[in-house]
Amino acid sequence: MPLKSVTGVDHVVVAVRDLDAAAAVWASLGFSMSPRGLHSAHLGTGNYTTMFQDDYLELLGIVNPTDQNTPTRDFLKEREGIERTAFTAIDAEKGAEELRSRGLEPLGPVNFGRPVPLPGGGETEARFSVFRWPLVEKPGGMRIFACQHHTRPAVWIPEIMRHANGATRIVRIEILSADPKASAAHMSRLIDQPITHAPDGAPVVASGGTRADFVFLDQTALAGRYPAQALAGVPTGGAVSLVLGTSDLAGATKALGARGVAHHGGVSVAAKDATGVIVSFVPN
């Protein structure tokens, strides 16, 4: 039975070592970035976000080491890139209880907030409650958690939802695995969603509703989807690619400039040029 208190992908967390430099990189790809945010002290992290219609991307960096950010610090010892993906929690407390009822011990919920400068001046606060699947449960090497938004208007701010690259949504998150079938089965079990298959045979697990899919690939399948130029700097495993829908493919191509690689009706930028993530744009 699908989880009742958790729905599809809410946002993707890209862990970076230099938060301000990473935000400049993503802005150069045609994304409108929020002002830098600072999370509650017990989290010890800061962020920039780039917002789409129903989901978003979060660049996350360490401000002060704390127990809460140990997993992110461990990840950054190895690489930058997609560390984890959040689902939308309708009710974080109930969602955590659902995991317990399935024999999984959640971490949290943890409540926190961050101040949000407003485009027209002044400031508000964004507040969240999150819980995590056990740290050992990492389908294909990617951690998952759920986030309840208590103040959605403080996060989805219209002025930062318009992008030069036309990005409107996350279409899929591609995960590189030595055993895609097993990794897909792992994700399917954790979120109780069925496995289907892409035209190239890759296992696909929908995250729920109309939100992004998870696609599991081995090295051969990944190479079949991307030309060599786009694979430069790609990590050796885990979540490696973010595919976004765009309302303006020409605008995305222009934003990427010489870094853009056209293929399969879309355009991509290599992981080496986007903090360890292949970023692709496809028409909506």
Side-chain angles (χ1 to χ4, degrees):
M1 181 183 299
L3 296 167
K4 295 180 180 179
S5 300
V6 176
T7 185
V9 165
D10 186 85
H11 64 279
V12 173
V13 177
V14 177
V16 296
R17 295 177 178 129
D18 185 327
L19 191 51
D20 293 336
V25 167
W26 286 78
S28 77
L29 301 177
F31 293 101
S32 298
M33 308 302 297
S34 71
R36 177 173 170 144
L38 184 65
H39 294 128
S40 301
H42 60 290
L43 293 187
T45 50
N47 75 348
Y48 287 90
T49 61
T50 185
M51 308 302 301
F52 310 130
Q53 290 173 351
D54 297 312
D55 47 30
Y56 63 101
L57 169 74
E58 177 181 19
L59 302 181
L60 186 80
I62 304 298
V63 177
N64 292 301
T66 70
D67 288 343
Q68 288 288 332
N69 62 46
T70 297
T72 300
R73 286 186 284 121
D74 289 343
F75 178 89
L76 286 171
K77 290 176 184 176
E78 302 297 325
R79 68 176 179 97
E80 293 184 298
I82 300 172
E83 184 212 359
R84 51 192 150 126
T85 290
F87 298 90
T88 299
I90 300 165
D91 185 310
E93 291 283 352
K94 290 181 179 178
E97 285 302 320
E98 281 192 272
L99 290 197
R100 289 191 186 95
S101 72
R102 294 163 183 244
L104 295 167
E105 188 56 39
L107 286 76
V110 173
N111 303 311
F112 67 98
R114 60 176 170 87
V116 178
L118 296 174
E123 186 177 272
T124 187
E125 183 186 25
R127 299 192 305 276
F128 314 87
S129 296
V130 303
F131 68 89
R132 296 180 282 184
W133 273 252
L135 293 179
V136 296
E137 304 288 357
K138 299 189 295 184
M142 182 187 70
R143 292 200 292 136
I144 59 174
F145 69 111
C147 177
Q148 180 180 0
H149 291 269
H150 299 294
T151 53
R152 289 185 68 87
V155 179
W156 273 268
I157 298 173
E159 288 85 349
I160 59 172
M161 292 174 64
R162 295 186 290 271
H163 307 283
N165 56 36
T168 60
R169 66 187 182 103
I170 303 171
V171 175
R172 60 183 177 268
I173 300 146
E174 295 175 334
I175 301 168
L176 181 60
S177 169
D179 190 342
K181 182 178 178 181
S183 295
H186 189 184
M187 178 68 82
S188 175
R189 175 175 62 83
L190 292 178
I191 66 173
D192 211 346
Q193 292 284 355
I195 298 172
T196 58
H197 292 86
D200 63 358
V204 178
V205 179
S207 70
T210 59
R211 305 287 181 84
D213 293 334
F214 300 105
V215 181
F216 296 86
L217 306 166
D218 60 18
Q219 292 280 3
T220 300
L222 182 69
R225 291 188 171 211
Y226 295 96
Q229 304 98 300
L231 295 173
V234 71
T236 57
V240 299
S241 176
L242 192 64
V243 180
L244 306 174
T246 177
S247 60
D248 183 5
L249 186 59
T253 301
K254 181 179 178 180
L256 299 187
R259 293 166 295 181
V261 181
H263 63 101
H264 296 97
V267 62
S268 298
V269 63
K272 71 178 181 63
D273 294 321
T275 62
V277 183
I278 301 171
V279 183
S280 298
F281 298 87
V282 296
N284 274 335

